[in-house]
Amino acid sequence: MALLLAMPAAGQSLWNTNHASASVCRAHGRATGPEAFSRTAQGYAWPMPAGSASAFADGTAAHVSAAAAGRANDRALADRLLAAARAEAFTRLDFGAAGGSSPAFVDAIVVKTVAYSVAYLRSRNALTQAELSAIAGWVRNLQRASTQRANSLDHEAAIIAANLMWAAALGDNGAFRSETSRLTRFLGRLRRNPYFTADLRNNNEVMHHVILAAQVLRQNGIDVFNAPQGSNTLNMAIAYHAGQVTGNGSRPVTTAGDPSERARSILRSQGFGTHVAWVPIVLATPGTEPARPAVQALERLVRRTDGGPWWGLQIGLHTGCFFGRR
C-alpha cells in the first residue's frame, strides 16, 4: 500500500504543542522529579504503587503536560529519567503479580511517556549527549521487555506506537521508517472489515495506540488516516468504531485483550484502558475530517455523564491537554 504524503517531510519530530490548551495543560500538569523506582514492572493496578511502572508513566505524563503549558522543571524531568535509567527501572517483569494488564504492556506505555519527555528536553537542549545515551540504553531494555508475551492486538499496537514515538523523539530515520512500515502492515487488518477486531472493547484498546501513532505520522508528513486498506481507511474504521461505542452506550463490556478482566463501560473520558480519550486526537488532527461527525456524536454522548479530563494512561499522553479539548 502506498502511503499518502500530507506535506513535505523534513525530518522526524514528536514534540508539538500546536493544538495544546495551556489552561487544560496547567490544570493537569505537575513537575515531577526523580524518585525511587522499582526494577520490577508489574501489571497496572489501582491504586498505583509508588515507584511502579504505571506510577512512573502517570507522573512523567503529568510533567510532559506541565511542559506543554511552559511550566516544566527541565532539570527535574531529566533527573527523573536518569534516575530510572540508572536503576534499570521496570526491566524485570513480574507476570505473577496482581494487576489488570501485562507488565510488558505497561513497559510499552513507559516508552511512550519517555519518548515525549526526551523530545521535549531535546527541543530545549536540556540533555547532554551522555545523558541521552544513558536514557536510550535503558529504553532499549524496556523495548525488549515490552515484547514478552505480546499475544493480543492492543499489545502489538502499543509496541509499534511506542517504538515509532521513540524513533521520532530521537530523530532516528531508519527506525522511524521501519516502525512506519510495521504500522502500515498492522493497518492492513482493515482490508476486510472496518475494525481491527469485532470485540468492541479490545478494538477500542487498539484505537488508543493506532490513532496517536497515526497522528505522529501525520505530523511528519505521512497520512495513514486516508490511505486505502482494501475498501476501507483508518478514518472509516474510526467512524465505524465511534458509532459502535455510541450505540453500546454505557453498557459494560469485556475484552478479548484480557479475558480475566471484568466487564466495564468504556463510555468514559479517562481511565487506564476503559475510556475513549483518543477523541481529542481525532478532532484536532488534520486529515481526520471524514471521521469527525461520528466522533463528535460520541463526544456529546460522553459529556452527558462524564465531565472529567480526556486522559487515558494507555495512550501515554494527556490528550485533553495536547489536543485542546476540555
Side-chain angles (χ1 to χ4, degrees):
M1 188 227 28
L3 297 174
L4 304 179
L5 289 179
M7 62 194 82
Q12 283 70 58
S13 68
L14 186 64
W15 186 252
N16 181 357
T17 57
N18 289 347
H19 302 292
S21 165
S23 62
V24 176
C25 295
R26 283 194 299 270
H28 301 287
R30 66 184 188 277
T32 52
E35 304 171 38
F37 300 116
S38 173
R39 191 173 182 183
T40 300
Q42 298 177 340
Y44 173 81
W46 181 261
M48 294 178 285
S52 67
S54 297
F56 173 88
D58 182 74
T60 304
H63 204 144
V64 169
S65 293
R71 294 189 171 187
N73 180 326
D74 294 359
R75 192 63 253 166
L77 179 57
D79 286 344
R80 181 178 179 83
L81 304 186
L82 289 165
R86 289 167 184 150
E88 298 180 334
F90 325 127
T91 54
R92 292 178 178 171
L93 305 182
D94 181 358
F95 286 95
S101 67
S102 156
F105 178 85
V106 175
D107 269 3
I109 310 309
V110 170
V111 172
K112 288 185 181 183
T113 63
V114 173
Y116 278 95
S117 301
V118 166
Y120 164 73
L121 291 169
R122 291 189 74 209
S123 78
R124 302 270 295 174
N125 294 316
L127 287 172
T128 67
Q129 186 57 51
E131 289 171 336
L132 180 58
S133 294
I135 295 167
W138 170 54
V139 169
R140 283 194 294 273
N141 290 333
L142 291 175
Q143 289 174 310
R144 282 194 289 270
S146 74
T147 64
Q148 294 189 35
R149 304 190 192 182
N151 50 14
S152 66
L153 281 179
D154 57 310
H155 194 161
E156 181 182 351
I159 292 169
I160 295 170
N163 291 350
L164 179 74
M165 292 164 195
W166 181 242
L170 293 182
D172 185 333
N173 295 342
F176 190 85
R177 287 194 297 270
S178 176
E179 296 306 325
T180 298
S181 296
R182 287 184 69 192
L183 180 61
T184 301
R185 291 193 296 273
F186 189 88
L187 293 176
R189 296 174 181 272
L190 299 175
R191 289 192 185 102
R192 293 188 176 182
N193 299 295
Y195 48 78
F196 295 101
T197 169
D199 182 298
L200 179 64
R201 184 168 152 189
N202 195 216
N203 197 61
N204 190 68
E205 291 160 346
V206 173
M207 288 293 184
H208 295 331
H209 312 291
V210 166
I211 290 173
L212 185 56
Q215 183 275 328
V216 171
L217 288 185
R218 185 61 171 77
Q219 178 178 310
N220 284 281
I222 300 170
D223 180 8
V224 295
F225 284 105
N226 295 290
Q229 310 290 342
S231 59
N232 297 308
T233 65
L234 178 56
N235 269 330
M236 292 169 65
I238 293 169
Y240 176 85
H241 178 66
Q244 293 295 108
V245 177
T246 299
N248 185 75
S250 60
R251 286 192 297 274
V253 288
T254 57
T255 173
D258 185 356
S260 67
E261 256 282 280
R262 67 177 176 85
R264 301 174 189 270
S265 169
I266 61 177
L267 197 71
R268 303 169 61 221
S269 64
Q270 60 183 319
F272 179 64
T274 50
H275 58 79
V276 290
W278 47 263
V279 162
I281 308 172
V282 176
L283 297 182
T285 302
T288 59
E289 290 80 4
R292 288 184 191 173
V295 175
Q296 288 166 337
L298 173 58
E299 180 188 39
R300 289 191 294 270
L301 182 60
V302 171
R303 284 307 187 214
R304 289 181 190 173
T305 57
D306 187 345
W310 296 103
W311 160 232
L313 184 54
Q314 277 193 19
I315 296 176
L317 195 68
H318 195 297
T319 51
C321 159
F322 274 84
F323 298 96
R325 214 75 183 175
R326 292 185 179 278

